[in-house]
Structure formats: C-alpha cells, structure tokens
Amino acid sequence: MSKLLQIKTSLFANQGHSSQLADAFIAAWQVSHPDAEIVTRDFAVDPVPHLDGAGFQAFLTQPEQRTPEQQAKVAYSDALIEELKAADMLVIGLPMYNLGVPSMLKSYFDHIARAGITFRYTETGPQGLLAGKKAYILATRGGRYAGTAFDTQTDYVRNFLGFIGIADVEFVYAEGLNMGDESRAAGLNAAHDELARITA
C-alpha cells in the first residue's frame, strides 16, 4: 500500500488556492490508488516553530548528554523525519509570499535537514538519504513569475529536496491569481489541466 504525505503551507489552511489544488490532486490520484494512506500536515493548524540556536545545539549534542528540553526538540524533528521517510510521495501546496516560500516551510526544511539522518557529506559532496520518493509541488502565485528572476521558489525547493535525496520533483503552477478575475480563472484552469494530465 502506498503512502502519501501532503503538506499545506498556506496561511489560509483549506481556503488557500495551493491547498485546494493539492486537495484536487490527491482526490484525482486516489481514484487509481484507492487503498493509499494519506497523511496531511497543515501548517496553519499545526505550526512548525522556527529552528533556534537551542534547537540546533540539541541536534549536535550526543543523545546520552541531552537535557529533557533538548530531547524534546530532537523528538519533534525526529517525528517530522519519520513521517517523511514513511511516505512514498510528497505533495506540497506552495503559495508565494513576498517572492519567497512561506516561512514555516523553511522552518520545516530546517527541522528535517539532519546530517547523518536525511543527508550526509562525502568526499564528493553531500548525499541525500531519502531517495526513491516522488514530489509534486502545487505552486500558486498572485503574479506571473515562472521562468523569471523573481521565481525564487522553484530552484530553492527543488535543490533542497534533492539535497535530502528526493530528486524526482514536478511543479504545477497556477499564476496570475491576483491579476483580475479572467487571469485567475485562466491560471487555475491551466493548473487543473496539468493535474488531470498527471493523474490520468
């Protein structure tokens, strides 16, 4: 049985366009995978704390030397990592905020980037340890940025996922959503058409 991890990063939970596109993808995907297990992590409902110095130091401290507070921080990170490890597919709803990714997605990435657990350094450079997974990114933008210097998301997300071993990453874009009703409809229709192609 396959397992899919959905991550909603919108501030507006299920009301966000990125969350709705991700939900549409999963509904279509489940038609051909009715026995799949779906796990959803919604940052608007369950926020990911920003990684601070104390948290990072907890990662570096040997398990037998950790304080209870440090162990709690590590346990939170471990739970996020185990959830991702268990998934065969990752689906991220990704709105663009101020030309970047939502801050809690960056926080999530900071919590799951653990040397020796999700990646390791070798003589030839870093090696991701979570290979064999597929990721779909449902990216929504108020303007039209794909393929321009203003698109800071695509390379960042693709590079980070590749860094931890998830190299098979596909983006679906819904752009121009804040450029009038006609533009919004066209952007969403194009994204849904792409989702239909992917899940056919």
Side-chain angles (χ1 to χ4, degrees):
M1 181 177 69
S2 58
K3 188 169 186 177
L4 185 152
L5 173 61
Q6 178 185 16
I7 297 179
K8 297 182 178 182
T9 70
S10 172
L11 296 173
F12 306 106
N14 292 331
Q15 302 306 309
H17 286 301
S18 63
S19 297
Q20 292 171 5
L21 280 177
D23 286 342
F25 171 88
I26 289 171
W29 186 76
Q30 283 185 295
V31 171
S32 56
H33 301 81
D35 297 327
E37 179 181 354
I38 310 296
V39 175
T40 300
R41 181 167 289 276
D42 188 341
F43 292 166
V45 176
D46 188 12
V48 179
H50 291 287
L51 182 64
D52 57 15
F56 187 71
Q57 186 59 48
F59 297 161
L60 300 179
T61 302
Q62 293 299 313
E64 66 276 7
Q65 297 177 345
R66 290 173 186 151
T67 66
E69 292 78 11
Q70 287 178 321
Q71 185 53 48
K73 291 179 181 295
V74 173
Y76 178 79
S77 170
D78 286 346
L80 295 180
I81 291 170
E82 289 306 313
E83 184 177 73
L84 179 56
K85 280 184 174 180
D88 303 296
M89 183 183 296
L90 176 66
V91 176
I92 300 178
L94 181 66
M96 177 178 278
Y97 295 149
N98 301 317
L99 302 181
V101 301
S103 63
M104 273 191 283
L105 180 61
K106 175 62 166 66
S107 297
Y108 175 80
F109 285 171
D110 288 342
H111 280 283
I112 64 172
R114 298 268 301 280
I117 299 175
T118 56
F119 74 94
R120 64 185 175 192
Y121 287 111
T122 71
E123 292 180 354
T124 57
Q127 177 187 20
L129 301 177
L130 300 184
K133 302 180 188 299
K134 171 76 177 183
Y136 289 99
I137 315 299
L138 292 308
T140 57
R141 288 91 179 270
R144 297 190 180 98
Y145 302 113
T148 76
F150 286 101
D151 183 2
T152 64
Q153 292 184 323
T154 301
D155 286 347
Y156 169 66
V157 172
R158 189 185 300 279
N159 288 338
F160 176 82
L161 293 178
F163 180 74
I164 61 172
I166 305 174
D168 190 358
V169 181
E170 187 166 348
F171 281 77
V172 175
Y173 300 96
E175 298 201 300
L177 303 187
N178 292 339
M179 298 174 67
D181 292 343
E182 185 175 341
S183 177
R184 179 185 304 109
L188 290 173
N189 286 339
H192 281 288
D193 287 346
E194 183 66 9
L195 291 183
R197 181 193 66 79
I198 291 171
T199 57

Short mmCIF file of all heavy atoms in Angstrom, two decimals, residues 1 6 13 29 43 49 53 62 69 71 80 83 100 132 141-142 165 174 186:
data_model
loop_
_atom_site.label_atom_id
_atom_site.label_comp_id
_atom_site.label_asym_id
_atom_site.label_seq_id
_atom_site.Cartn_x
_atom_site.Cartn_y
_atom_site.Cartn_z
N MET A 1 0.85 -1.19 0.00
CA MET A 1 0.00 0.00 0.00
C MET A 1 0.88 1.24 0.00
O MET A 1 1.81 1.36 0.81
CB MET A 1 -0.91 0.01 1.23
CG MET A 1 -1.84 1.21 1.28
SD MET A 1 -2.97 1.17 2.72
CE MET A 1 -1.81 1.42 4.06
N GLN A 6 0.92 14.87 2.48
CA GLN A 6 0.51 16.18 1.97
C GLN A 6 0.91 17.25 2.97
O GLN A 6 0.59 17.14 4.16
CB GLN A 6 -1.00 16.23 1.74
CG GLN A 6 -1.48 17.60 1.23
CD GLN A 6 -3.00 17.68 1.13
OE1 GLN A 6 -3.71 16.86 1.68
NE2 GLN A 6 -3.49 18.66 0.41
N ALA A 13 -4.99 27.87 5.39
CA ALA A 13 -5.41 26.47 5.53
C ALA A 13 -6.13 26.01 4.26
O ALA A 13 -5.63 26.22 3.17
CB ALA A 13 -6.27 26.31 6.78
N TRP A 29 -5.76 11.49 -7.66
CA TRP A 29 -4.78 10.42 -7.52
C TRP A 29 -5.37 9.21 -6.81
O TRP A 29 -5.08 8.05 -7.14
CB TRP A 29 -3.57 10.95 -6.77
CG TRP A 29 -2.42 10.01 -6.68
CD1 TRP A 29 -1.52 9.68 -7.66
CD2 TRP A 29 -2.02 9.26 -5.53
NE1 TRP A 29 -0.60 8.79 -7.18
CE2 TRP A 29 -0.87 8.51 -5.88
CE3 TRP A 29 -2.51 9.18 -4.23
CZ2 TRP A 29 -0.23 7.68 -4.99
CZ3 TRP A 29 -1.87 8.34 -3.32
CH2 TRP A 29 -0.74 7.60 -3.71
N PHE A 43 0.24 23.48 8.17
CA PHE A 43 0.99 24.41 8.99
C PHE A 43 0.10 25.49 9.62
O PHE A 43 0.47 26.08 10.64
CB PHE A 43 2.09 25.10 8.17
CG PHE A 43 3.20 24.16 7.73
CD1 PHE A 43 4.09 24.56 6.75
CD2 PHE A 43 3.35 22.91 8.28
CE1 PHE A 43 5.11 23.72 6.33
CE2 PHE A 43 4.36 22.06 7.88
CZ PHE A 43 5.25 22.48 6.89
N PRO A 49 7.63 25.43 14.53
CA PRO A 49 8.41 26.51 15.13
C PRO A 49 9.71 26.75 14.36
O PRO A 49 10.26 25.83 13.76
CB PRO A 49 8.70 25.99 16.54
CG PRO A 49 8.66 24.50 16.40
CD PRO A 49 7.61 24.21 15.37
N GLY A 53 18.87 28.57 18.03
CA GLY A 53 20.18 28.06 18.42
C GLY A 53 20.10 26.89 19.37
O GLY A 53 20.88 25.93 19.26
N GLN A 62 25.20 14.75 21.89
CA GLN A 62 25.05 13.29 21.93
C GLN A 62 23.80 12.91 22.71
O GLN A 62 23.47 13.55 23.73
CB GLN A 62 26.28 12.65 22.58
CG GLN A 62 27.56 12.79 21.76
CD GLN A 62 27.43 12.12 20.40
OE1 GLN A 62 26.96 10.98 20.29
NE2 GLN A 62 27.85 12.82 19.34
N GLU A 69 14.85 19.15 27.81
CA GLU A 69 14.41 20.16 26.85
C GLU A 69 15.02 19.88 25.47
O GLU A 69 14.34 20.00 24.44
CB GLU A 69 14.83 21.56 27.33
CG GLU A 69 14.09 22.04 28.57
CD GLU A 69 14.62 21.43 29.85
OE1 GLU A 69 15.71 20.77 29.81
OE2 GLU A 69 13.96 21.56 30.88
N GLN A 71 16.04 16.95 24.37
CA GLN A 71 15.45 15.72 23.85
C GLN A 71 14.09 15.99 23.23
O GLN A 71 13.73 15.39 22.22
CB GLN A 71 15.33 14.68 24.96
CG GLN A 71 14.85 13.32 24.46
CD GLN A 71 15.68 12.78 23.30
OE1 GLN A 71 16.91 12.77 23.37
NE2 GLN A 71 15.01 12.36 22.23
N LEU A 80 8.97 14.49 12.49
CA LEU A 80 8.79 15.02 11.14
C LEU A 80 9.55 14.17 10.13
O LEU A 80 9.03 13.87 9.03
CB LEU A 80 9.29 16.46 11.07
CG LEU A 80 8.53 17.51 11.89
CD1 LEU A 80 9.18 18.89 11.68
CD2 LEU A 80 7.05 17.56 11.53
N GLU A 83 7.91 10.72 9.57
CA GLU A 83 6.70 10.89 8.77
C GLU A 83 7.05 10.98 7.29
O GLU A 83 6.39 10.39 6.43
CB GLU A 83 5.98 12.15 9.23
CG GLU A 83 4.66 12.44 8.57
CD GLU A 83 4.02 13.67 9.18
OE1 GLU A 83 4.51 14.81 8.92
OE2 GLU A 83 3.04 13.52 9.94
N GLY A 100 8.89 34.71 -1.94
CA GLY A 100 9.59 33.58 -1.32
C GLY A 100 8.63 32.49 -0.90
O GLY A 100 7.42 32.55 -1.14
N GLY A 132 14.26 7.71 -3.72
CA GLY A 132 13.18 6.82 -4.09
C GLY A 132 11.79 7.39 -3.91
O GLY A 132 10.80 6.65 -4.05
N ARG A 141 0.73 31.64 -7.38
CA ARG A 141 1.32 32.97 -7.31
C ARG A 141 0.29 34.02 -7.73
O ARG A 141 -0.51 33.81 -8.64
CB ARG A 141 2.52 33.09 -8.26
CG ARG A 141 3.79 32.32 -7.85
CD ARG A 141 3.83 30.92 -8.41
NE ARG A 141 5.04 30.20 -8.02
CZ ARG A 141 6.17 30.23 -8.75
NH1 ARG A 141 6.22 30.90 -9.88
NH2 ARG A 141 7.23 29.58 -8.32
N GLY A 142 0.36 35.17 -7.08
CA GLY A 142 -0.52 36.28 -7.45
C GLY A 142 -0.15 36.86 -8.80
O GLY A 142 -1.01 37.30 -9.56
N GLY A 165 17.78 13.92 -1.01
CA GLY A 165 17.65 12.69 -1.78
C GLY A 165 16.41 12.57 -2.63
O GLY A 165 16.24 11.58 -3.35
N ALA A 174 0.03 27.66 -10.81
CA ALA A 174 -1.17 28.46 -11.03
C ALA A 174 -0.77 29.91 -10.78
O ALA A 174 -0.55 30.30 -9.63
CB ALA A 174 -2.30 28.03 -10.10
N ALA A 186 -7.92 31.72 -15.64
CA ALA A 186 -7.01 31.09 -16.60
C ALA A 186 -5.89 30.36 -15.88
O ALA A 186 -5.51 29.24 -16.27
CB ALA A 186 -6.43 32.15 -17.53
#
